[in-house]
Amino acid sequence: MDPRAQKRTNDEAAALAEQIAGKLKADPRRIDALVKEHSEIRLAGGEPYEVNEKTGFVPEFKQLALRLMLNETGIVRPTTATT
């Protein structure tokens, strides 16, 4: 787990999600900069995730990603425990 997340309460996580979503809604072109600044998951090469029906993500994340349209923003709170 990313050290930033380890120290964050649920309320702090919700506030951060709202803050980032607000920035993204204001200017969707900032997505790459916002991901670079706030992402707590590092991928080799920095390539974006490809999400489809077979993607092994937390179900709530996958459902939201598949539902969102281009430049649309959403926040999800998973009910599934993650480690």
Side-chain angles (χ1 to χ4, degrees):
M1 179 182 285
D2 186 285
R4 296 172 292 178
Q6 288 178 334
K7 299 175 185 175
R8 191 179 300 128
T9 66
N10 283 333
D11 288 342
E12 290 168 339
L16 180 59
E18 291 289 343
Q19 176 188 14
I20 294 168
K23 290 178 181 179
L24 190 55
K25 286 176 186 176
D27 186 359
R29 296 168 298 176
R30 291 188 62 202
I31 190 165
D32 290 335
L34 289 168
V35 168
K36 186 176 181 179
E37 180 181 354
H38 295 285
S39 180
E40 295 171 356
I41 301 171
R42 301 290 179 228
L43 291 177
E47 295 299 316
Y49 290 118
E50 181 177 332
V51 181
N52 58 50
E53 290 295 331
K54 295 180 181 180
T55 303
F57 288 138
V58 174
E60 295 86 352
F61 289 155
K62 182 165 57 174
Q63 290 167 4
L64 178 66
L66 292 172
R67 181 188 61 77
L68 290 175
M69 303 302 289
L70 185 63
N71 295 329
E72 187 177 11
T73 304
I75 296 175
V76 65
R77 183 178 188 165
T79 56
T80 309
T82 58
T83 56

